[in-house]
Amino acid sequence: MVIHHSIRTLFLGLLVLTLTACDPENVTDSATTAVDTSKTYHWKMVTTWPPGFPVLQEGAERFAQNIKNMSNGRLNIKVYAGGELIPPLQTFDAVSQGTVEMGHGSAYYWAGKVPEAQFFSTVPFGMTARGMNAWLYDGGGLELWREVYQPFHVIPFPLGNTGVQMGGWFNKEINSLDDIKGLKMRIPGLGGKVFAKAGGNPVLLAGSEVYTALERNTIDATEWIGPYHDQRLGLYRAAKHYYYPGWHEPGTVLELTINQRAWASLPKDLQAIISNAAMAENVRMLSEMEQKNMSALQELKERPKVKIHRFPDDVLAKLKMLTDETLAEEAAKNPEFKRIYEAYQAFRQQNDAWSDISENAYLAIEK
Ligand code: CA
């Protein structure tokens, strides 16, 4: 019986190989027939998010589960939230050094090490999620991103997007640029640099400290993410003026990072599973953010004390001017930053021209 069974299996195996070899769609890559399906991989993934953080940490965990399901258990990824294995902001280094195989975060967290990485997460007045996906997947953005991470032996993939963020919570109205002068606001990165140029006082605070600082008036304002995460953090209890749009983070791309050597050790089918699972989760996280934000916005509107305002046009125009100034200064200091900035701008101009007569023109119609 056993012998018969083995012969039958061998025969079927040969038949499959023969059929595969005859299929013109499948002959290009000999590695697909040489897959050792008995080998299982156990990987670690670290993230920059707090344990259980909705959408972002949950999305990273769903991504790992999808890979396990699609690979029939051949690739098992154990996901650790920030601080569970290593501090959140050491994610990039841990992947780079191969301490772990994978990471999830956002490229602007490594701005101190790689300033031009910020273009692959978000920059003030930059592209929204649609433009970023078009640039990264089809406009040469991802190739540039891989070049930028190559010296660190890290391979990046887009894996999620926050959508357009909110401008933040303020303890007073912002009617002109004068109202920003001397204002202490938690606003990180390039947005913070622009805010400082406008006369504000940017403060760096971890997410866990934001609520208490605002509630105790240690800061006058804070940005966080969008209605859903902001409401969960209770920020509406600490300040009542909620401003839009999030000019400083118009569509923050989240990233999957993979150690180059770990990636190279995988058979082609598992590599394909990872890259397709990453693309699927990229869509899923954005759509989840959009749905949760629209529903939380409704709830916030019903809270009697919350006042939702748009930043005045002249404030936005001034912040935009100061953003251009800031980006030009960074580019003058760093040729790599300049190179990526120019590529980003070239794509962005085309994207704006097309968006003006497609999405923007359509959305401007009174409905
Ligand atoms: Ca933010």
Side-chain angles (χ1 to χ4, degrees), residues 108 165 186 223-225 248-249:
Y108 59 14
Q165 298 199 5
R186 184 263 182 196
E223 69 82 53
W224 181 232
I225 306 178
H248 62 299
E249 293 197 59

Side-chain angles (χ1 to χ4, degrees), residues 291-322:
Q291 188 280 324
K292 285 190 156 63
N293 279 333
M294 63 184 85
S295 132
L297 174 65
Q298 214 50 46
E299 290 163 21
L300 284 169
K301 278 180 169 171
E302 284 159 20
R303 293 187 186 275
K305 284 183 187 154
V306 174
K307 293 203 165 55
I308 301 175
H309 316 261
R310 184 177 188 273
F311 283 118
D313 283 337
D314 61 329
V315 168
L316 289 172
K318 181 75 178 172
L319 291 170
K320 167 75 173 77
M321 206 191 78
L322 296 172

Side-chain angles (χ1 to χ4, degrees), residues 66-310:
N66 283 339
I67 287 176
K68 185 176 181 177
N69 295 346
M70 284 191 277
S71 69
N72 198 22
R74 286 163 55 221
L75 178 51
N76 297 282
I77 302 162
K78 181 147 173 50
V79 184
Y80 298 88
E84 285 181 346
L85 198 61
I86 55 149
L89 296 182
Q90 283 174 26
T91 294
F92 187 84
D93 288 343
V95 174
S96 173
Q97 288 153 12
T99 315
V100 296
E101 291 83 3
M102 272 181 173
H104 189 244
S106 191
Y108 59 14
Y109 289 138
W110 336 123
K113 185 188 287 279
V114 203
E116 59 275 21
Q118 293 170 102
F119 290 105
F120 305 110
S121 55
T122 193
V123 294
F125 296 98
M127 288 187 277
T128 62
R130 280 175 61 243
M132 286 305 290
N133 281 333
W135 183 48
L136 293 173
Y137 289 128
D138 292 293
L142 188 52
E143 285 83 350
L144 282 178
W145 195 1
R146 294 200 168 147
E147 274 175 42
V148 166
Y149 281 5
Q150 162 67 35
F152 304 95
H153 313 294
V154 170
I155 304 175
F157 297 78
L159 189 91
N161 195 303
T162 65
V164 181
Q165 298 199 5
M166 284 294 283
W169 297 86
F170 294 75
N171 63 10
K172 63 169 191 177
E173 283 190 33
I174 303 299
N175 295 313
S176 74
L177 211 68
D178 277 347
D179 293 321
I180 288 179
K181 301 234 167 12
L183 202 76
K184 270 179 105 171
M185 178 171 182
R186 184 263 182 196
I187 174 167
L190 281 169
K193 284 191 179 179
V194 173
F195 188 72
K197 272 181 185 281
N201 185 359
V203 180
L204 273 182
L205 281 181
S208 55
E209 299 166 281
V210 169
Y211 175 79
T212 313
L214 188 62
E215 205 256 333
R216 294 186 182 163
N217 291 315
T218 313
I219 54 173
D220 308 305
T222 187
E223 69 82 53
W224 181 232
I225 306 178
Y228 174 71
H229 287 94
D230 290 13
Q231 179 168 247
R232 273 183 68 101
L233 205 56
L235 294 174
Y236 61 92
R237 289 198 300 264
K240 65 177 180 183
H241 299 287
Y242 196 22
Y243 274 87
Y244 68 90
W247 58 274
H248 62 299
E249 293 197 59
T252 306
V253 177
L254 311 175
E255 66 174 13
L256 165 70
T257 46
I258 304 182
N259 175 273
Q260 219 163 58
R261 192 176 298 167
W263 174 256
S265 77
L266 288 181
K268 292 272 191 280
D269 66 330
L270 292 183
Q271 289 181 346
I273 285 173
I274 291 175
S275 58
N276 284 284
M279 209 179 283
E281 189 53 47
N282 191 37
V283 174
R284 183 67 203 281
M285 252 191 244
L286 175 63
S287 57
E288 202 184 353
M289 286 294 293
E290 294 286 283
Q291 188 280 324
K292 285 190 156 63
N293 279 333
M294 63 184 85
S295 132
L297 174 65
Q298 214 50 46
E299 290 163 21
L300 284 169
K301 278 180 169 171
E302 284 159 20
R303 293 187 186 275
K305 284 183 187 154
V306 174
K307 293 203 165 55
I308 301 175
H309 316 261
R310 184 177 188 273

